[in-house]
Amino acid sequence: MSYHLKRLTAPVSWHIAKKEEKFVTKTSPGPHSGAAMPVAVWLRDKMGLAGNMKEVKRILNQRQVILNGKPVTDPKLGLGIFDIISIPKIGKHYRVLTDKKGRMVTIEIDAEAAKTRLCKIRNKRVVRGGKVQLNLLYGANLLADNTYHPKDSIVLTLEGENRFQIVDHFPFAVGNMAMVIGGKHSGKVGRISEIRVAAGSIPNRVILQDKDGEAFETVEQYVFMIGRETPAIAEWGIEG
């Protein structure tokens, strides 16, 4: 099994220099897909907080990088959409998003915004004792009531004894706000105006309207709910 990836074949979403060196760190199995950006690449190539892998490992071994409320020690662990990264030593907090070209971008946020995380519900099932388990898009799961449904988004706390408590809920429904996280409309934010259910294996289509009233269409799997009448997150950093 290969432990490295040629830079020329690295996912376009990483948006890193292709020809400075031959190889780049490969993402290890984890909460996101293989296209997720490794923590090492984020620290070194995107943020400039480390010069090489030795420095990356030193930073992580000192537990200086907090991902979604927990210290990260694996330099190959992948980062994905809406992950929250905190570096307490320098007092910085970041949210991972995607821009209109499908590239991963890092937006600096304040300490209060870093206390919660937006999550999409992949599916749910009934477990022992008749309890409902929500399986989230980035690999975590939690017990909840039957109020929540697949494709909805929930806001979870990331700190303290109440970690992973649901504090808000954005249903997948006409009239609510969503962000597109894939395809040619990646990074766009709009209000859902119609959900077209397709027969068979064809993916359902979702019609949205942006802030200017212009309609655009995407497949259901690319839709990530972010609010009701207005987006829950004010600063997106996707206009560039």
Side-chain angles (χ1 to χ4, degrees), residues 17-33:
K18 299 286 188 177
K19 298 181 180 180
E20 288 184 356
E21 297 180 20
K22 186 174 182 179
F23 294 101
V24 69
T25 305
K26 187 176 182 180
T27 310
S28 63
H32 300 290
S33 69

Side-chain angles (χ1 to χ4, degrees), residues 116-119 153-157 165-170 232:
T116 56
R117 184 193 193 281
L118 191 61
C119 305
S153 289
I154 54 177
V155 180
L156 298 179
T157 56
Q165 293 294 310
I166 300 175
V167 294
D168 212 341
H169 171 218
F170 309 129

Side-chain angles (χ1 to χ4, degrees), residues 32 63 82:
H32 300 290
R63 304 173 77 83
F82 291 109

Side-chain angles (χ1 to χ4, degrees), residues 99-102 179-189 208 214-219 222:
D99 67 11
K100 291 181 179 178
K101 295 184 179 180
M179 181 178 182
V180 180
I181 60 171
K184 68 178 182 178
H185 296 298
S186 179
K188 279 190 174 183
V189 173
L208 303 98
E214 184 178 344
F216 62 97
E217 181 178 339
T218 188
V219 294
Y222 291 155

Side-chain angles (χ1 to χ4, degrees), residues 2-199:
S2 172
Y3 291 97
H4 290 81
L5 179 72
K6 286 188 177 180
R7 281 179 175 261
L8 288 173
T9 59
V12 176
S13 61
W14 293 9
H15 194 53
I16 59 174
K18 299 286 188 177
K19 298 181 180 180
E20 288 184 356
E21 297 180 20
K22 186 174 182 179
F23 294 101
V24 69
T25 305
K26 187 176 182 180
T27 310
S28 63
H32 300 290
S33 69
M37 180 185 294
V39 173
V41 175
W42 183 81
L43 282 170
R44 182 186 60 211
D45 297 73
K46 301 297 288 187
M47 304 302 293
L49 297 174
N52 50 48
M53 181 59 82
K54 184 177 180 180
E55 293 180 6
V56 169
K57 291 181 178 179
R58 184 183 299 122
I59 292 170
L60 297 182
N61 288 338
Q62 292 174 359
R63 304 173 77 83
Q64 295 182 26
V65 177
I66 310 299
L67 176 63
N68 297 326
K70 294 184 66 176
V72 180
T73 56
D74 180 6
K76 298 181 180 180
L77 183 68
L79 302 175
I81 187 77
F82 291 109
D83 275 347
I84 301 293
I85 309 166
S86 298
I87 307 179
K89 189 171 185 179
I90 60 175
K92 297 288 187 179
H93 308 274
Y94 306 94
R95 179 184 295 116
V96 179
L97 293 173
T98 181
D99 67 11
K100 291 181 179 178
K101 295 184 179 180
R103 302 175 302 195
M104 293 181 69
V105 293
T106 306
I107 306 302
E108 186 170 347
I109 58 177
D110 58 31
E112 187 64 28
K115 292 180 180 179
T116 56
R117 184 193 193 281
L118 191 61
C119 305
K120 182 176 180 177
I121 301 173
R122 185 196 301 272
N123 54 53
K124 67 178 183 179
R125 64 193 185 99
V126 178
V127 296
R128 183 178 297 178
K131 297 179 180 179
V132 176
Q133 176 179 287
L134 305 180
N135 302 316
L136 306 180
L137 188 64
Y138 75 106
N141 56 67
L142 72 157
L143 297 178
D145 57 40
N146 210 27
T147 303
Y148 312 100
H149 304 284
K151 300 184 283 293
D152 290 358
S153 289
I154 54 177
V155 180
L156 298 179
T157 56
L158 296 177
E159 296 183 341
E161 296 180 357
N162 293 324
R163 186 171 185 265
F164 267 42
Q165 293 294 310
I166 300 175
V167 294
D168 212 341
H169 171 218
F170 309 129
F172 175 70
V174 171
N176 287 348
M177 300 296 294
M179 181 178 182
V180 180
I181 60 171
K184 68 178 182 178
H185 296 298
S186 179
K188 279 190 174 183
V189 173
R191 186 183 307 280
I192 295 179
S193 60
E194 184 182 355
I195 300 172
R196 296 177 180 171
V197 179

